[in-house]
Amino acid sequence: MDSPASQGYSRKDKSLGVLVANFLILYNRPDVDLIGLDDAAANLGVERRRIYDVVNILESIGLVARSGKNQYSWKGFGAVPRALCELKEEGMKEKYGIVPYVTKSEMVIYEKEREEAFMLTPDDQEFSPSPKLDNKKERTLWLLAQNFVKLFLCSDDDLITFDSATKALLIESQDMNMRTKVRRLYDIANVFSSMKLIEKTHVPETKKPAYRWLGSKTIFENRFLAGSASLCDRNVPKKRAFGTELTNVNAKRNKPGCSEDSKRYGKQNTNIVIKQEQCDVKPDVKNFAYGPSTPAGTCEMNNVGNNIRPRGRLGEIEALSTLYQPQYCNPALISLFEHYHQTFRSCQEEFGRKK
DNA sequence: TGCTCCCGCCAAATC
DNA sequence: GATTTGGCGGGAGCA
């Protein structure tokens, strides 16, 4: 086989990072709705296999969603904050066992919304991809990417060493050997680095390779306008208040059954609804040393035993909410983020008082 | 020399 | 049987 050099290109020219950058240039546009895998491969000049790598990783943070055979729908960067919030919430639950507080009346509303969501028309059902696709073997890259992101979202430190990430992720799937996992981690890190979600760096003391979380803000600063335009200009179903770009909570929901475009919002919307309900939590002094688990990790405090302390990156959700500017977003989305913002503020105040 | 990660084989799932 | 999907690891490029 000819070497890259002899063929006139550098190995780096074909990296996943470059590929994903080109992918975003190609598809992060207002008029993009569906992405055909064959088209993507042809347009980007790579094999299909590489497109699978890219979309699997992008899907892990909600940027795209599988909508059927050979096809993904472009959700845009407007969908990323929610996906990250939900990942953080999941991560916190896994790590600390925090269960969000939802009132009875909130559950009634949720159930009603859920019933509506399941009332699909025959046309809608026709568009729903086969449930058989849900049984596809576990998608390691997708899962690893999500768990990798959770490491940052659920940590006090923005810096995570490559070693610790590998070890932490190895616990999640012990059937995978370290060397294989390391390879996949490099793939994922390359993609996220390319997106400026993380940056590669070193631990100052040990010089060990590490990754720094740059946060969602960076993505939005770089990409938000293009992404949000596509989000907000879309044909959003009016009655689904928060059911536009807010997907990718877990494997089931990420799979085909929940990803077709706007009028097929049915099932995943139930999750969106409950997340919204969870946002509206009240402090429960009995169960929480400090208040609620707020929307998807917006609250910066947790209850680890009696240890009340700030957690995560203060101001991140605030930054996210301010990035949702009215001119780019539909009213429901604005309302949601205002709600987040208020919840965050009350968390801050409450924490200040307790302190 | 060790780290990084492209590349493509191949099996499982799906059509 | 054909096609799609994605796990997996060999081995080459790079610092």
Side-chain angles (χ1 to χ4, degrees):
Chain A
M1 189 174 68
D2 291 338
S3 69
S6 70
Q7 290 182 325
Y9 69 90
S10 158
R11 182 178 160 91
K12 285 183 179 176
D13 296 340
K14 295 203 137 192
S15 76
L16 266 189
V18 171
L19 179 58
V20 95
N22 290 334
F23 186 92
L24 293 178
I25 290 169
L26 194 60
Y27 293 110
N28 185 25
R29 289 186 288 110
D31 56 326
V32 172
D33 193 18
L34 293 174
I35 299 169
L37 295 186
D38 286 325
D39 289 344
N43 288 331
L44 295 166
V46 296
E47 289 179 17
R48 278 173 72 95
R49 179 67 197 81
R50 301 283 76 77
I51 301 297
Y52 289 125
D53 290 337
V54 170
V55 293
N56 267 311
I57 296 171
L58 296 186
E59 191 179 7
S60 73
I61 55 166
L63 203 52
V64 300
R66 189 162 178 225
S67 59
K69 199 178 101 175
N70 261 331
Q71 202 165 66
Y72 275 74
S73 56
W74 174 254
K75 297 298 178 184
F77 281 87
V80 175
R82 180 54 162 254
L84 294 183
C85 283
E86 297 198 345
L87 281 178
K88 182 168 182 175
E89 187 176 17
E90 272 181 29
M92 295 299 277
K93 279 183 201 168
E94 289 161 8
K95 197 172 176 183
Y96 300 110
I98 295 171
V99 179
Y101 177 86
V102 182
T103 67
K104 198 174 176 181
S105 62
E106 287 164 345
M107 278 308 292
V108 170
I109 297 167
Y110 160 63
E111 288 298 338
K112 192 182 170 194
E113 291 278 352
R114 194 175 69 157
E115 278 173 25
E116 286 177 15
F118 277 108
M119 289 166 66
L120 299 173
T121 66
D123 279 352
D124 291 334
Q125 288 167 10
E126 224 170 80
F127 275 104
S128 299
S130 165
K132 281 180 184 175
L133 288 172
D134 280 350
N135 298 330
K136 188 76 183 151
K137 59 191 169 186
E138 186 179 308
R139 295 181 301 162
T140 299
L141 199 59
W142 174 86
L143 194 60
L144 259 184
Q146 286 206 330
N147 287 333
F148 184 55
V149 170
K150 282 181 192 173
L151 288 180
F152 291 102
L153 297 179
C154 301
S155 166
D156 289 331
D157 199 347
D158 284 342
L159 200 67
I160 292 180
T161 64
F162 192 82
D163 278 354
S164 63
T166 309
K167 282 170 190 162
L169 297 173
L170 191 60
I171 295 168
E172 298 288 327
S173 54
Q174 303 199 345
D175 52 324
M176 203 173 181
N177 75 45
M178 184 69 108
R179 193 168 152 74
T180 299
K181 180 146 293 185
V182 166
R183 287 187 180 109
R184 299 292 83 79
L185 202 51
Y186 281 125
D187 293 341
I188 292 164
N190 270 346
V191 169
F192 287 155
S193 294
S194 173
M195 297 170 69
K196 306 274 195 293
L197 195 59
I198 60 172
E199 75 172 348
K200 193 174 181 187
T201 179
H202 294 91
V203 178
E205 300 81 30
T206 62
K207 301 288 177 195
K208 280 189 173 181
Y211 293 101
R212 172 172 285 110
W213 179 256
L214 299 180
S216 322
K217 194 176 175 182
T218 305
I219 290 184
F220 279 79
E221 282 171 351
N222 291 334
R223 318 280 189 183
F224 181 77
L225 294 181
S228 65
S230 69
L231 163 73
C232 300
D233 292 343
R234 286 215 190 128
N235 210 2
V236 179
K238 297 291 183 287
K239 75 170 183 176
R240 312 304 313 165
F242 305 106
T244 55
E245 68 299 342
L246 311 176
T247 60
N248 286 306
V249 177
N250 59 31
K252 295 279 181 197
R253 271 178 276 162
N254 270 309
K255 288 183 179 177
C258 47
S259 54
E260 269 292 349
D261 249 348
S262 52
K263 71 173 178 177
R264 293 147 242 163
Y265 281 121
K267 291 186 181 178
Q268 81 270 32
N269 246 358
T270 63
N271 300 307
I272 291 156
V273 171
I274 192 140
K275 293 301 175 191
Q276 158 60 8
E277 295 302 307
Q278 286 165 358
C279 298
D280 199 13
V281 291
K282 325 279 187 298
D284 180 350
V285 181
K286 264 191 289 185
N287 297 324
F288 289 84
Y290 172 75
S293 167
T294 53
T298 59
C299 183
E300 298 297 327
M301 306 78 180
N302 68 18
N303 61 327
V304 183
N306 294 321
N307 182 21
I308 304 165
R309 60 198 178 93
R311 170 160 295 287
R313 287 155 286 281
L314 274 168
E316 181 167 323
I317 193 67
E318 188 179 21
L320 286 177
S321 64
T322 58
L323 284 163
Y324 276 82
Q325 295 173 34
Q327 64 266 39
Y328 300 120
C329 298
N330 63 52
L333 207 55
I334 294 165
S335 162
L336 173 65
F337 273 77
E338 281 173 358
H339 186 90
Y340 275 16
H341 189 78
Q342 281 169 12
T343 308
F344 173 78
R345 282 290 178 218
S346 54
C347 279
Q348 260 191 329
E349 285 167 16
E350 183 72 14
F351 181 69
R353 279 199 293 277
K354 298 243 173 194
K355 205 173 168 185

